[in-house]
């Protein structure tokens, strides 16, 4: 076999892989949109006192065993944003949305929009919530900023 035969076969395999990934991505996007619509339909506003928040594996989170059993096997190893809060007289464990996890204040009362065990949105009861702290800049970004300042 010549070199161009090998390159042609590799190119065809890559094109097939890209097409399969494209259609799988569209299918997953439709599923995610349907799930988001269900969350929006079931959400309700609740006043809660935030006790603790951490990123931890779902097995160590303290969520009900039924919830742990329903999660996909690949998801069980990843760390989730877990929030422990007092809702009325009960202390409950919630899973926060990744976007709002940094906004949730500790040891403060908030009005949260929840859908089942999932916190969708958070608003401060007394005033607004503090902005999340800025993320630390990486080594190379700081190096570039220092070079730009020195010029």
């Amino acid at each position: 076999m010549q070199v161009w035969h090998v390159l042609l076969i590799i190119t065809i395999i890559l094109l097939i892989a890209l097409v399969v990934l494209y259609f799988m991505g569209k299918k997953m996007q439709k599923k995610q949109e349907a799930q988001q619509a269900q969350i929006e339909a079931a959400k309700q506003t609740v006043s809660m006192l935030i006790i603790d928040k951490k990123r931890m594996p779902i097995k160590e989170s303290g969520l009900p065993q039924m919830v742990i059993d329903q999660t996909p096997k690949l998801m069980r190893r990843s760390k989730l944003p877990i929030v422990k809060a007092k809702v009325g007289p009960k202390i409950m464990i919630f899973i926060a949305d990744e976007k709002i996890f940094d906004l949730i204040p500790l040891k403060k009362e908030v009005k949260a929009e929840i859908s089942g065990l999932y916190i969708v949105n958070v608003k401060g009861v007394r005033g607004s919530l503090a902005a999340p702290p800025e993320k630390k800049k990486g080594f190379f970004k700081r190096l570039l900023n220092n070079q730009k300042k020195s010029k």
Side-chain angles (χ1 to χ4, degrees), residues 55-145:
R55 292 184 196 278
M56 57 178 38
I58 196 164
K59 288 186 177 183
E60 299 172 9
S61 65
L63 288 167
Q65 188 62 38
M66 190 173 81
V67 173
I68 295 172
D69 292 341
Q70 289 178 353
T71 56
K73 292 200 188 273
L74 291 174
M75 188 76 174
R76 291 182 193 173
R77 294 183 185 196
S78 64
K79 291 187 176 183
L80 295 176
I82 303 293
V83 176
K84 193 177 201 181
K86 184 175 182 184
V87 181
K90 280 186 169 179
I91 294 179
M92 299 180 69
I93 297 173
F94 295 97
I95 301 171
D97 191 5
E98 200 65 50
K99 296 175 224 163
I100 63 149
F101 182 68
D102 293 331
L103 287 176
I104 299 173
L106 277 175
K107 311 262 191 280
K108 291 196 178 172
E109 192 172 350
V110 295
K111 286 223 184 247
E113 292 179 359
I114 62 170
S115 178
L117 293 176
Y118 195 67
I119 299 176
V120 180
N121 197 3
V122 177
K123 296 176 186 166
V125 172
R126 295 170 185 87
S128 63
L129 296 176
E134 287 187 28
K135 291 188 176 184
K136 292 183 181 179
K137 291 183 181 178
F139 175 74
F140 291 109
K141 293 225 181 209
R142 282 184 287 168
L143 193 65
L144 284 173
N145 279 345

Side-chain angles (χ1 to χ4, degrees), residues 15-29:
L15 284 174
I16 291 172
L18 285 174
V19 169
V20 168
L21 285 174
Y22 173 77
F23 285 111
M24 283 178 57
K26 281 190 120 181
K27 184 179 175 183
M28 295 295 281
Q29 187 175 9

